[in-house]
Amino acid sequence: LLLLDSNVEGNQPEDRELTARLYGGDDRIRIRQELLLGVGGVRALAALGIAPGVLHLNEGHSAFAPLELVRQRMVVEGVDAWEALRRVAPQVVFTTHTPVPAGHDRFSPALVEEHLGPLRESLGVDRDRFLGLGRVNPSDGNETFCMTVLALKSCHRANAVSSLHGQDSRAMWSPLYPDRSEDRVPIGHITNGVHVP
């Protein structure tokens, strides 16, 4: 278990508070927390010499993690971002928990560019294509950047947390897969629960 703590010497006062509480603050704090969790988490593993075979994204909060894996793979394998994403996706599994659209983190394009612009540039991806990774309709400039959409586009497998939630999730995210019927949307399910001995 690795705990990421931003309250360390050298960080700005506002950055030192990022890991003090969960689900607090505005979108600016939230995107910074999710950047720290996703990109920072992958970088922490790399710094410790840990190369996970599978990366599990538990809800969209950590959905920036595959982007850091893409960046690392580009450096090591000398491929472009799209090929690296194709190679990274099989090692990413995504679990969604939230059964209503309002519960999925969304950020304005300006906020995404402000915080992920340097990562985007290191990937060699233009702003519009990058923002398209977090949109159901990639070319819709009015659509916000959704962490769940990014996670679904970055993973090889996705699941909900019960059979009924799987049905709800397939219905909710079916616009992301317009060429498939709702029952063929690639979100399976597992069943969370207490197992009495």
Side-chain angles (χ1 to χ4, degrees), residues 122-173:
S122 72
L123 298 176
V125 176
D126 71 55
R127 182 180 182 272
D128 291 336
R129 286 195 76 190
F130 185 82
L131 290 171
L133 288 170
R135 293 175 172 157
V136 173
N137 300 304
S139 59
D140 181 356
N142 294 317
E143 186 178 342
T144 54
F145 187 95
C146 178
M147 297 297 284
T148 300
V149 172
L150 174 62
L152 288 167
K153 288 184 178 182
S154 302
C155 74
H156 185 66
R157 292 191 183 273
N159 63 270
V161 293
S162 71
S163 179
L164 180 59
H165 182 234
Q167 292 172 18
D168 290 345
S169 294
R170 286 186 290 279
M172 187 178 353
W173 298 109

Side-chain angles (χ1 to χ4, degrees), residues 75-96:
V75 170
V76 172
E77 298 177 12
V79 296
D80 71 10
W82 305 108
E83 176 60 20
L85 181 58
R86 189 187 70 74
R87 294 179 186 186
V88 163
Q91 76 180 93
V92 180
V93 176
F94 171 59
T95 299
T96 180

Side-chain angles (χ1 to χ4, degrees), residues 9-171:
E9 192 173 316
N11 279 347
Q12 296 296 320
E14 66 271 15
D15 293 332
R16 292 181 78 138
E17 294 293 316
L18 287 175
T19 56
R21 68 193 55 81
L22 186 60
Y23 303 129
D26 58 12
D27 283 349
R28 181 173 301 280
I29 290 172
R30 190 83 172 148
I31 198 170
R32 289 177 178 182
Q33 288 176 326
E34 294 184 359
L35 187 59
L36 178 62
L37 176 62
V39 175
V42 170
R43 289 183 183 179
L45 291 174
L48 293 169
I50 299 170
V54 175
L55 188 68
H56 178 227
L57 308 178
N58 191 28
E59 198 58 274
H61 314 309
S62 57
F64 292 137
L67 297 178
E68 177 60 16
L69 288 178
V70 165
R71 189 195 65 76
Q72 290 177 3
R73 190 159 287 203
M74 288 172 65
V75 170
V76 172
E77 298 177 12
V79 296
D80 71 10
W82 305 108
E83 176 60 20
L85 181 58
R86 189 187 70 74
R87 294 179 186 186
V88 163
Q91 76 180 93
V92 180
V93 176
F94 171 59
T95 299
T96 180
H97 294 266
T98 309
V100 293
H104 296 266
D105 289 335
R106 295 178 182 273
F107 301 109
S108 72
L111 203 57
V112 172
E113 180 62 19
E114 177 185 343
H115 290 86
L116 281 102
L119 177 60
R120 177 190 60 74
E121 288 173 3
S122 72
L123 298 176
V125 176
D126 71 55
R127 182 180 182 272
D128 291 336
R129 286 195 76 190
F130 185 82
L131 290 171
L133 288 170
R135 293 175 172 157
V136 173
N137 300 304
S139 59
D140 181 356
N142 294 317
E143 186 178 342
T144 54
F145 187 95
C146 178
M147 297 297 284
T148 300
V149 172
L150 174 62
L152 288 167
K153 288 184 178 182
S154 302
C155 74
H156 185 66
R157 292 191 183 273
N159 63 270
V161 293
S162 71
S163 179
L164 180 59
H165 182 234
Q167 292 172 18
D168 290 345
S169 294
R170 286 186 290 279

